[in-house]
Amino acid sequence: MTDSQVPLRALPQLTPENIAFWTGGEREQLLIYRCMHCRAWFHPPAPVCPTCLSRDVHPQSMPRHATLMSHTVNHQRWLPGMSVPYVIAIGSMDAAPDVHLMAELVNCPASQIRSDMPLEVVFLHEADVWIPQFRPLRA
Amino acid sequence: MSSSQRYLEKTTAVTGVGLSEVARPSEKTALALTIDASLAAIEDAGLTRDDIDGIATWPGRFDNTPGLSEVSLHEVKEALRLPVNWYMGGGEAPQHGAVISAITAIATGFARNVLIYRTVTEAQAQTPGRRASVIGAAGQRLTGWLSWLGPSNALSAAIWVALYAQRHFDRYGTTSEQLAQIALTARRNAQVNPSAIMRTPLTLDDYMTSRFISTPLRLFDCDVPVDGSTAIIISRLDAARDLRNPPLRIEAMGCALHGRFSWEQVPDLHETAAFEAARMMWNRTDLKPKDVDVAELYDGFSFLCLMWLEALGFCAKGEGGRFIEGGGRIARDGELPLNTHGGQLSQGRLHGYGQIFEAAAQLWSRAGARQVANHPRVAVCSAGGGPLGSSFLLVRD
């Protein structure tokens, strides 16, 4: 994107808690909060582990493999100038199935989408954030 | 201890309702619509403004999406000079949060007669570049839970609900022809409701050939932005016996959220807040789903209505598609008349409060051509989808 273009995306306000998630993609890392005490992964980020209430929690690089839970092919142009259709999916992360991401599914024709298909997370760079996207896991 | 002492919503009742014009768009301002509905409700209850000692609304003034809620509770209090002992306009609750607040205020003795209003002006606020109910439209940075969805272009609840609907289709074999029955039933009811926006006949073929918004949801699965205001009076039951209308007791209410406040983190993408709210509601009453005479269930999207049918136990989890198949069961003369006013899909998006108005109209047998036969006595109302959900039972003794 050049400076003259208006960003079409609704971008997140960066905070001390979410900045790792939104910028980890610069180094190809999916940074998800993890409890150093009980080892549970959790998302979205918080300053306390929702399982054991330990405060010893930090963003860690999570393996980027996921499994498709659901998808939708969006046809509506919600913002002026956005290109449609596009696919939104919810994926369950293989390293921690109760951690889900809602993200675009790219590089996959709608006709080839199957429930439970294996996915991997890649990143789209926009302004100061790296937005996770899913693509089919290459065999 | 009797259940009426343990569950204090039973000490409260709906005593009056009011509805402004519903238009697309209305020439009136949001505040003027609100005053129309409020004065109608106060008069309907047989009260005067000096009797109104509490006001509640949801979500209160909210400027982030156009027309969603432009009337501040303070403006209504000022316009009517209401002598309130208590007021509450909080947004961090399910859509029927104002009902929950009013019950709480009455049960604690903070108020005797609470005016509830909910005003939407999403038709007059909408322009080609400024669409209702889309997040991030002004280019501002997103905060809170929306910030996890918007950057991936999941910009509308249509997408979030579509993901739940597709999962239901994949898992239980639910079909578009089944889901269509929610929209077709709503339209048939709207055709005999003078306040409904969408009153032309709608066929299954019209539905199946309508454009997709976000698969599997089509145009007719999405509600219609309108301008309108609904007002409800909730009163102390012991004071309500002498008012104009037979009081509609709040028999039980549920508003639990034990699981995640999230659309995407729900473990099976099925058991949303609706299921927990409904469980809580049924735990507070001896009534059962079979006792319900009329169901006025949230239908911001058709699929949410199907979800509420399952959540409330009218059918088993996953059976919603088969339950509504053919539409006979949920028709006005069926075993469970559903959204007899046309719902948000066809009356217009009054955001859960059109359902309450209609439940009262049915229980007071004043619904005219859309009246359900045999003087219905028990109604269930619900609102919400995803992490938002609450439901309650209204009973005419």
Side-chain angles (χ1 to χ4, degrees):
Chain A
M1 195 183 79
T2 66
D3 290 344
S4 62
Q5 286 177 307
V6 178
L8 286 177
R9 290 201 177 242
L11 298 179
Q13 183 77 54
L14 296 180
T15 69
E17 275 155 3
N18 74 16
I19 192 167
F21 179 85
W22 290 116
T23 59
E26 185 175 14
R27 297 173 306 285
E28 296 287 312
Q29 290 187 329
L30 178 65
L31 296 179
I32 299 290
Y33 266 58
R34 189 171 199 186
C35 177
M36 299 298 106
H37 180 68
C38 77
R39 308 301 293 167
W41 298 94
F42 61 93
H43 186 69
V48 60
C49 170
T51 303
C52 75
L53 302 183
S54 168
R55 309 297 182 98
D56 190 10
V57 295
H58 300 283
Q60 301 274 296
S61 182
M62 177 185 261
R64 290 185 282 139
H65 292 182
T67 301
L68 184 94
M69 296 184 76
S70 190
H71 78 282
T72 179
V73 183
N74 176 76
H75 293 264
Q76 180 76 22
R77 192 170 277 116
W78 301 104
L79 297 177
M82 77 188 306
S83 50
V84 291
Y86 57 90
V87 179
I88 299 280
I90 295 178
S92 166
M93 300 307 300
D94 291 351
D98 62 342
V99 170
H100 303 169
L101 296 181
M102 186 188 293
E104 274 171 277
L105 173 54
V106 298
N107 297 343
C108 185
S111 61
Q112 290 178 23
I113 300 172
R114 300 284 177 268
S115 50
D116 299 326
M117 71 188 283
L119 305 171
E120 67 178 328
V121 171
V122 294
F123 298 95
L124 174 72
H125 182 200
E126 282 277 351
D128 55 356
V129 299
W130 282 258
I131 300 166
Q133 298 185 316
F134 290 118
R135 73 177 178 200
L137 181 64
R138 282 146 218 248
Chain B
M1 199 181 242
S2 77
S3 69
S4 64
Q5 287 168 303
R6 282 167 61 204
Y7 301 129
L8 293 179
E9 67 267 47
K10 295 176 199 294
T11 65
T12 71
V14 170
T15 54
V17 295
L19 181 65
S20 72
E21 68 169 2
V22 180
R24 194 171 69 144
S26 170
E27 299 297 315
K28 296 187 176 189
T29 66
L31 182 58
L33 292 167
T34 307
I35 299 305
D36 287 349
S38 298
L39 291 178
I42 293 168
E43 184 185 0
D44 184 39
L47 296 168
T48 70
R49 68 167 159 178
D50 293 333
D51 298 313
I52 301 299
D53 58 359
I55 320 178
T57 193
W58 179 94
R61 185 169 179 130
F62 186 85
D63 291 327
N64 288 341
T65 75
L68 181 76
S69 183
E70 297 197 342
V71 180
S72 154
L73 183 149
H74 309 144
E75 293 175 273
V76 178
K77 186 259 181 296
E78 276 296 285
L80 297 177
R81 300 290 198 277
L82 295 174
V84 296
N85 292 322
W86 172 93
Y87 56 96
M88 176 67 70
E92 294 197 325
Q95 284 89 338
H96 283 169
V99 176
I100 301 167
S101 299
I103 290 169
T104 310
I106 293 168
T108 53
F110 285 149
R112 290 169 65 90
N113 298 297
V114 176
L115 167 67
I116 292 171
Y117 73 88
R118 174 79 184 97
T119 305
V120 285
T121 46
E122 292 187 315
Q124 59 181 239
Q126 197 152 244
T127 65
R130 193 166 179 258
R131 188 176 280 279
S133 303
V134 177
I135 61 177
Q140 81 275 28
R141 291 274 175 148
L142 299 172
T143 60
W145 63 275
L146 292 174
S147 72
W148 301 105
L149 309 181
S152 295
N153 277 337
L155 295 172
S156 163
I159 291 172
W160 318 334
V161 174
L163 288 159
Y164 277 73
Q166 184 62 49
R167 173 89 165 166
H168 203 278
F169 278 36
D170 289 344
R171 209 163 163 194
Y172 302 108
T174 308
T175 66
S176 293
E177 288 82 355
Q178 290 171 339
L179 186 59
Q181 294 303 329
I182 301 283
L184 301 186
T185 300
R187 183 61 62 89
R188 276 192 288 272
N189 290 330
Q191 285 182 265
V192 288
N193 180 359
S195 74
I197 291 290
M198 306 294 278
R199 298 174 61 193
T200 53
L202 182 70
T203 67
L204 180 61
D205 193 50
D206 295 333
Y207 173 92
M208 293 300 292
T209 55
S210 69
R211 67 188 174 89
F212 280 119
I213 299 297
S214 200
T215 60
L217 300 184
R218 300 168 188 275
L219 180 66
F220 294 117
D221 292 308
C222 305
D223 64 2
V224 184
V226 295
D227 302 331
S229 180
T230 314
I232 316 287
I233 309 293
I234 297 188
S235 305
R236 267 175 62 159
L237 179 62
D238 57 9
R241 301 281 184 204
D242 302 327
L243 297 183
R244 180 170 294 160
N245 299 308
L248 305 177
R249 283 193 302 105
I250 297 182
E251 165 66 19
M253 182 144 200
C255 48
L257 182 64
H258 296 191
R260 302 289 301 270
F261 187 94
S262 174
W263 282 89
E264 76 280 14
Q265 304 297 337
V266 170
D268 64 351
L269 298 187
H270 193 142
E271 286 227 14
T272 51
F275 286 79
E276 300 188 61
R279 268 195 287 274
M280 176 177 164
M281 182 188 82
W282 292 121
N283 283 339
R284 297 165 77 87
T285 179
D286 294 329
L287 296 180
K288 304 293 178 203
K290 67 174 168 48
D291 298 314
V292 172
D293 298 315
V294 59
E296 310 295 354
L297 306 182
Y298 191 79
D299 62 341
F301 298 94
S302 57
F303 181 77
L304 295 179
C305 208
L306 183 152
M307 173 197 78
W308 274 110
L309 289 168
E310 293 185 10
L312 287 161
F314 292 114
C315 60
K317 189 175 162 184
E319 292 291 320
R322 281 177 284 281
F323 184 80
I324 61 177
E325 181 138 23
R329 193 177 264 137
I330 54 174
R332 202 160 56 242
D333 59 355
E335 68 185 65
L336 185 70
L338 175 68
N339 288 346
T340 46
H341 56 315
Q344 298 181 187
L345 295 173
S346 280
Q347 184 196 32
R349 174 182 161 82
L350 296 172
H351 221 181
Y353 289 74
Q355 274 84 356
I356 306 177
F357 180 93
E358 178 66 7
Q362 290 289 341
L363 296 180
W364 285 326
S365 288
R366 52 159 94 144
R370 65 185 194 280
Q371 179 66 45
V372 169
N374 301 322
H375 303 290
R377 204 178 71 79
V378 179
V380 63
C381 296
S382 74
L388 304 180
S390 65
S391 62
F392 63 96
L393 290 166
L394 281 181
V395 175
R396 176 178 53 78
D397 287 321

